[in-house]
Amino acid sequence: AIRSAVDYPTGWGIQNSLRFIHARIEQTPLNQRGKQLMRPEADFRSPGRKGEMRRSDSRFVLAPTTQQPSKQSNKTSALRKKLQWSSSQQELQQLLMNAVQDNCVDVSVFSAGMQRCGQKRWWDTLLKVRQLQKQTGIVLDTVAVGIFIKSLTSSVRGEHGFGPEQARVNLIVSMAREAWAECTGHDLINANAALHLCAVADSVEGVKWAEELWTWAQEQGLRPTVRSYTALALVFAVHGPRARLDDLLAAASSGVWTPNSVTLGALVNAFAEKHDWHQAEGIWEKLVRELGVEPNEISFAARAKAHFLSGRPAAAAEIAESMSELVPTQALAELHTQALLIVYHSSMKPSVWTRLQAALNRGDSLMTDASAHQQRTWQRLKSVAQRLQAQPSSMRLCDVLVEWKAKQSVNHETGSNYATA
């Protein structure tokens, strides 16, 4: 999962820039891959030199660092590859146990195991990998710490769930702090990862450590990037205090830092999760209209989600349809179609059915390379739409709620205009 500079041709510009890549694109979950490839190139550059390699040509998830790679050897190369392709928690655990018994482990092996756990959200196995690493006496280096922190952040959600599990939320700061203290030489990359962890952690512990990390970075003379400011702003958007978020946005207005589409999407999504479309629109107004941030597909999806979760499916559908030349993400295609199903069930207007048909036609082309779960959800949405047109009187609101974000509503009769807001 981590290659040194000498593994790449000089034409890739790796030696000169000392960037190291954390994961191959084919080993990264579809949703995570899509999000990372949509990041603005000005702040998330591809591995190649300008003019030599386009983003679409790169085989790698764009996660460059300035850290030295974990110590590796050819002896563990095959094992790391097997760990990275593990299809189950049992397989990964057995591979590691056998490697420990054969004395064929180093820090890069544990890093690969931790990274796979983070990608698959294998919380229990991640903790077992960490415990095994400590039992062997192998100490994490800075790259391994960063991977562990990112894996903790990803694994807060259950393997098959959508929301964080509170027991994990309560533990991740203390676990990340312990790993952070295991070595020295952390850079801004690890600090940014830790700040993102604070945003999904317990509010008290998360805000406390985020403030400490920001102070530490300043004391180390590290210059925060837009990614750093975005991560800190996200902490305050999720946990508060709101005044601290306003201070950061005021600093952006003063030119101290320049938010981008990732900032926009993250902050709008934070308020979407709180079902607060007013605050989400306030962030949109500030960043897009005042600071000139150009929204991308994920930003629009977060804005639509804010209205949808606030009980405003009509507004969510209109936002999805306002994207102009942008191609909606698969998640937004799902949300758009679900919103229109609700609006059509509410109004039974032919004009809404026409919009729903257009959304279904556009979504079909997007779902060809979607995950299995997304494809199943899409087929259910299409089936419900067909049934709603054929037998509208037999369907109540609960019958048209397919997408997970929609299943938080009370029942309504068909054609009762409950979703016209």
Side-chain angles (χ1 to χ4, degrees), residues 111-139:
S111 296
M114 290 173 176
Q115 185 179 64
R116 187 58 172 166
C117 290
Q119 291 172 343
K120 304 295 286 186
R121 290 185 269 165
W122 291 339
W123 171 266
D124 292 335
T125 299
L126 176 62
L127 303 193
K128 290 178 181 179
V129 172
R130 171 67 168 144
Q131 185 62 33
L132 191 59
Q133 168 255 315
K134 290 192 286 186
Q135 289 174 354
T136 62
I138 293 175
V139 177

Side-chain angles (χ1 to χ4, degrees), residues 117-359:
C117 290
Q119 291 172 343
K120 304 295 286 186
R121 290 185 269 165
W122 291 339
W123 171 266
D124 292 335
T125 299
L126 176 62
L127 303 193
K128 290 178 181 179
V129 172
R130 171 67 168 144
Q131 185 62 33
L132 191 59
Q133 168 255 315
K134 290 192 286 186
Q135 289 174 354
T136 62
I138 293 175
V139 177
L140 297 181
D141 60 15
T142 55
V143 171
V145 170
I147 289 173
F148 180 62
I149 289 174
K150 292 172 186 175
S151 296
L152 283 174
T153 304
S154 301
S155 301
V156 162
R157 295 184 296 152
E159 183 180 353
H160 302 295
F162 295 98
E165 297 194 7
Q166 192 58 44
R168 302 178 184 184
V169 167
N170 296 337
L171 291 173
I172 57 174
V173 168
S174 61
M175 297 175 68
R177 280 181 178 271
E178 180 188 54
W180 183 278
E182 201 159 308
C183 66
T184 59
H186 296 293
D187 66 3
L188 202 57
I189 303 294
N190 279 5
N192 292 344
L195 287 171
H196 278 288
L197 178 141
C198 291
V200 302
D202 170 77
S203 58
V204 175
E205 290 298 313
V207 171
K208 180 180 178 182
W209 197 30
E211 297 278 21
E212 292 176 10
L213 286 164
W214 199 258
T215 300
W216 168 86
Q218 292 175 323
E219 292 173 348
Q220 296 295 312
L222 300 177
R223 184 177 179 181
T225 64
V226 60
R227 283 170 276 182
S228 311
Y229 280 106
T230 295
L232 185 63
L234 181 59
V235 171
F236 296 128
V238 172
H239 300 309
R242 177 56 197 256
R244 291 288 283 115
L245 174 59
D246 291 338
D247 289 343
L248 288 172
L249 295 178
S253 297
S254 301
V256 174
W257 65 290
T258 304
N260 58 24
S261 59
V262 174
T263 313
L264 175 64
L267 298 184
V268 170
N269 186 70
F271 289 111
E273 295 288 346
K274 296 182 177 184
H275 300 196
D276 191 340
W277 70 271
H278 292 285
Q279 294 282 12
E281 284 297 322
I283 294 294
W284 192 273
E285 178 72 25
K286 178 73 175 180
L287 270 62
V288 176
R289 297 189 174 90
E290 181 179 329
L291 297 180
V293 174
E294 184 176 349
N296 64 5
E297 297 90 335
I298 294 176
S299 306
F300 276 102
R303 188 185 182 197
K305 176 182 172 182
H307 286 269
F308 188 84
L309 291 181
S310 300
R312 293 165 53 84
E318 290 173 1
I319 289 168
E321 292 162 358
S322 71
M323 291 177 56
S324 185
E325 299 298 322
L326 294 177
V327 177
T329 63
Q330 292 158 342
L332 182 55
E334 280 184 12
L335 189 149
H336 182 206
T337 302
Q338 177 66 87
L340 285 173
L341 273 173
I342 296 171
V343 176
Y344 181 63
H345 179 268
S346 169
S347 68
M348 295 305 294
K349 291 181 178 179
S351 60
V352 179
W353 175 254
T354 300
R355 292 164 61 196
L356 176 56
Q357 285 293 96

